[in-house]
Amino acid sequence: MTARMIDGKALAEELRQGFKARVAALAAKGKKPGLAVILVGADPASEVYVRNKVNGCLAIGMHSEKIVYDADVDQQVVLDRIAALNTDPAIHGILVQLPLPAHFDESKVLEAIAAEKDVDGFHAENVGALAQGNPRFIPCTPYGVMKMFEQGGVDLAGKEAVVIGRSNIVGKPMALLLINAGATVTVCNSRTRDLAAHTRRADIVVAAVGKPKFVTGDMLKPGAVVIDVGINRLLEGPDAGKLCGDVDTAGCLDVAGQITPVPGGVGPMTITMLLANTIEAAEREAGIR
Ligand code: NAP
């Protein structure tokens, strides 16, 4: 068996093309969707993510603002800016790039964003709505994964799903979405005993661990759908400097039924779903949804 590759790059491009008409329809009503991205400090990886988010907006005709602060900025300055953006009619989505410097209270900052503009879906109100099975904004990475299941024709109801990782950004919301879709879900973490015993009985494995090539072919059930959320930069060996996922893709190809590559898998879907959430926010505000 050779696994089918789920092409996140192509799916992301297809979705973004489809967004253009929705953006144009809103712009025609004077309600062009707008995203504000706040970056504190000069972390190189965060700078790349923020640039890609802003460019992703502009490429489909949306409005976008990048707001940058020095790493030592007072938290209150950022909170005041968020308060202004909450009432800015040109802005429908507000995103604070994580991680924040150590002197910030991350949850206080995330809770300061108006829930109806919280396009990352990290505000407690939106997390609660997702847990209740009635989401307003779905966190972008797991939202992208759900679109990939849809595209791959994966029926989740009744399936055994194992999520490796329990972060608020990926693992937990991913587990909630799979539960809502009718899968039987196991969420693993660094304390899990005999991880492979869980993954070997899974029809679906989602890896969000942050460890290169962590999931190997011998950990999989034949035919499993494997979603690799990980983005790791290899520090040594012949591929030093290259990106790699949490899954040993080459070693899993003969066992898995479908698998996502890194790069070109979940990564491009994450920003796409951020655009989707911002358009949805603008449509809601315009009374279209
Ligand atoms: P995180 O907050 O560091 O969480 C990692 C999770 O993996 C934790 O829950 C941890 O368990 C678990 N873990 C670590 N070692 C383990 C082990 N030996 N067995 C089982 N579980 C283990 O990371 P994250 O923010 O969720 O991100 C995960 C990965 O996805 C990273 O590579 C990140 O760069 C990537 N990512 C990609 C995208 C994208 O757009 N594709 C978006 C977000 C993140 P404990 O809780 O017990 O420590």
Side-chain angles (χ1 to χ4, degrees):
M1 180 191 313
T2 297
R4 173 186 171 267
M5 279 284 172
I6 306 178
D7 187 342
K9 201 172 164 206
L11 178 58
E13 188 49 39
E14 185 187 322
L15 290 171
R16 289 185 200 206
Q17 288 304 324
F19 293 162
K20 285 182 179 171
R22 288 164 66 190
V23 172
L26 284 160
K29 288 173 173 262
K31 305 258 182 201
K32 183 191 272 201
L35 174 71
V37 185
I38 298 177
L39 173 63
V40 184
D43 173 61
S46 293
E47 280 182 355
V48 173
Y49 289 137
V50 167
R51 189 166 61 236
N52 289 342
K53 287 168 184 174
V54 171
N55 288 343
C57 288
L58 301 178
I60 59 166
M62 287 169 55
H63 167 69
S64 185
E65 287 174 31
K66 176 178 156 188
I67 300 156
V68 182
Y69 293 104
D70 290 337
D72 60 356
V73 67
D74 193 89
Q75 172 169 284
Q76 193 56 46
V77 173
V78 177
L79 292 175
D80 290 346
R81 187 62 186 261
I82 290 172
L85 291 167
N86 283 343
T87 56
D88 183 341
I91 295 299
H92 303 88
I94 304 168
L95 178 157
V96 177
Q97 185 66 40
L98 302 177
L100 287 165
H103 67 282
F104 273 77
D105 176 345
E106 198 167 282
S107 61
K108 190 168 181 185
V109 172
L110 295 179
E111 296 303 309
I113 297 172
E116 62 278 9
K117 295 192 179 186
D118 166 42
V119 284
D120 255 342
F122 297 158
H123 191 291
E125 196 178 310
N126 289 322
V127 175
L130 174 62
Q132 287 180 336
N134 188 23
R136 171 163 44 192
F137 293 115
I138 300 172
C140 304
T141 300
Y143 193 4
V145 173
M146 293 304 280
K147 287 283 172 196
M148 295 173 105
F149 287 136
E150 211 178 289
Q151 198 247 7
V154 181
D155 181 10
L156 297 166
K159 296 280 164 52
E160 289 284 338
V162 169
V163 179
I164 316 175
R166 56 172 165 174
S167 71
N168 289 335
I169 294 172
V170 188
K172 275 187 211 157
M174 187 74 250
L176 287 171
L177 287 166
L178 288 164
I179 290 168
N180 293 347
T184 303
V185 182
T186 304
V187 185
C188 299
N189 59 66
S190 62
R191 312 291 294 275
T192 297
R193 281 180 280 136
D194 198 356
L195 176 68
H198 294 284
T199 56
R200 274 189 205 118
R201 55 171 179 70
D203 305 301
I204 291 154
V205 175
V206 180
V209 193
K211 294 189 172 166
K213 302 186 185 182
F214 180 76
V215 175
T216 48
D218 61 319
M219 293 170 70
L220 299 177
K221 171 175 161 179
V225 177
V226 181
I227 304 287
D228 188 354
V229 177
I231 301 180
N232 310 290
R233 198 164 291 280
L234 291 171
L235 299 175
E236 52 195 34
D239 290 332
K242 287 196 180 155
L243 287 184
C244 135
D246 288 345
V247 175
D248 172 21
T249 316
C252 292
L253 278 180
D254 288 344
V255 190
Q258 300 196 53
I259 194 163
T260 63
V262 176
V266 177
M269 290 299 293
T270 295
I271 295 184
T272 302
M273 301 326 290
L274 172 68
L275 304 180
N277 277 345
T278 309
I279 296 168
E280 284 171 22
E283 287 175 342
R284 241 177 251 134
E285 205 245 348
I288 295 175
R289 311 176 63 90

